[in-house]
């Protein structure tokens, strides 16, 4: 994860928009948008919802902002200490300050993020299933029905020969794997709705609890 991506993310979050954030950062809006897309791609989640004349953070965006602000604040403190030391030479106190800040960064980022890995993977799976649901709904609006089991989710990115009304692709990239690198399961018709979308979780087997529990659209 690039620190500059985090700085751009914080700027968009606080400005509630890409245009205002780009002015405050002294760059063009396309650069800001590219940084946010890169960060979303790295994390595998959407950070903002685009609304009329503004953007609103998703739940994942809110969570990242709280961590990013603390990380960037600590980095800024470290940079200021290093600039002062270059101007007048290192003092023992400043060396200690830098060491403490680096230690705080490691102590803050590593345990919190690694302890949240399982929970984050579940949240990523839920976000991906939600995005796939929306894409399937758009496919149905165009074609008149959901893809068959034979066509599967591949029909969202590749035009089936039997569907002349197809107007995709309905995903910007290839159909994603779940956070445990297994394909999502698509069943049509579904057991509780028009279709089922699910991941079997970390263990890749039906049932289970915690991170091994099934994650579905129903």
């Amino acid at each position: 994860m690039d620190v500059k991506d985090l700085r751009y993310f914080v700027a968009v979050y606080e400005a509630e928009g890409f245009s205002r954030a780009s002015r405050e950062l002294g760059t063009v809006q396309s650069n800001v948008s590219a940084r946010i897309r890169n960060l979303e791609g790295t994390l595998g989640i959407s950070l903002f919802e685009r609304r009329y004349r503004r953007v609103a953070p998703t739940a994942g965006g809110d969570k990242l902002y709280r961590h990013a602000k603390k990380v960037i604040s600590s980095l800024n403190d470290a940079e200021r200490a290093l600039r002062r030391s270059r101007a007048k030479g290192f003092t023992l106190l400043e060396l200690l300050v830098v060491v403490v800040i680096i230690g705080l960064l490691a102590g803050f980022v590593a345990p919190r993020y690694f302890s949240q890995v399982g929970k984050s993977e579940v949240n990523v799976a839920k976000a991906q299933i939600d995005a796939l649901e929306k894409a399937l709904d758009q496919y149905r609006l165009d074609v008149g029905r959901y893809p068959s089991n034979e066509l599967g989710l591949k029909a969202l990115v590749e035009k089936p020969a039997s569907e002349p009304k197809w107007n995709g692709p309905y995903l910007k990239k290839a159909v994603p794997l779940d956070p445990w690198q297994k394909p999502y399961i698509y069943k049509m018709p579904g057991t509780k709705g028009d279709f089922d979308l699910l991941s079997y979780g970390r263990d890749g087997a039906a049932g289970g609890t915690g991170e091994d529990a099934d994650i579905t659209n129903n």
Side-chain angles (χ1 to χ4, degrees):
M1 187 184 299
D2 193 323
V3 172
K4 194 168 185 179
D5 289 347
L6 284 180
R7 294 187 187 276
Y8 277 50
F9 162 74
V10 168
V12 173
Y13 186 102
E14 294 179 345
E16 297 185 349
F18 289 88
S19 179
R20 182 179 171 189
S22 64
R23 291 195 298 270
E24 293 176 354
L25 291 165
T27 186
V28 295
Q29 185 171 331
S30 59
N31 286 344
V32 179
S33 298
R35 286 281 179 177
I36 299 302
R37 284 197 302 271
N38 182 61
L39 189 56
E40 289 178 326
T42 299
L43 297 173
I45 60 173
S46 295
L47 297 171
F48 296 104
E49 294 178 352
R50 279 64 172 176
R51 297 179 181 175
Y52 180 67
R53 292 187 176 178
R54 63 184 291 268
V55 296
T58 61
D62 281 329
K63 182 180 292 185
L64 178 63
Y65 176 76
R66 294 193 293 272
H67 292 300
K69 279 291 285 185
K70 293 178 181 179
V71 171
I72 290 173
S73 177
S74 295
L75 285 172
N76 289 341
D77 289 343
E79 289 173 357
R80 283 193 291 269
L82 289 171
R83 281 197 296 270
R84 288 197 301 271
S85 67
R86 285 197 296 268
K88 61 182 181 181
F90 282 99
T91 67
L92 179 59
L93 178 60
E94 287 173 333
L95 282 172
L96 288 173
V97 167
V98 174
V99 170
V100 168
I101 289 172
I102 292 173
L104 286 172
L105 276 173
F108 171 75
V109 176
R112 288 175 183 265
Y113 275 92
F114 284 114
S115 67
Q116 296 294 318
V117 166
K119 187 181 294 184
S120 296
E121 287 173 337
V122 171
N123 289 336
V124 168
K126 290 178 179 178
Q128 288 178 328
I129 286 175
D130 181 65
L132 289 170
E133 271 195 295
K134 290 181 171 63
L136 285 163
D137 286 339
Q138 186 60 52
Y139 177 100
R140 178 178 175 275
L141 285 174
D142 290 342
V143 175
R145 57 183 171 270
Y146 291 107
S148 65
N149 287 324
E150 291 72 25
L151 293 176
L153 297 177
K154 188 178 180 181
L156 296 176
V157 292
E158 294 183 16
K159 181 179 180 179
S162 58
E163 300 294 1
K165 295 181 180 179
W166 190 89
N167 194 32
Y170 301 95
L171 296 173
K172 292 182 180 179
K173 299 180 181 179
V175 177
L177 297 175
D178 73 12
W180 301 276
Q181 299 306 298
K182 299 179 181 68
Y184 284 101
I185 296 167
Y186 170 74
K187 298 178 182 178
M188 204 286 291
T191 56
K192 296 181 180 179
D194 293 316
F195 59 85
D196 288 341
L197 262 178
L198 67 149
S199 163
Y200 283 139
R202 181 181 59 183
D203 64 354
T209 59
E211 294 171 51
D212 296 334
D214 301 346
I215 305 163
T216 76
N217 63 315
N218 296 313

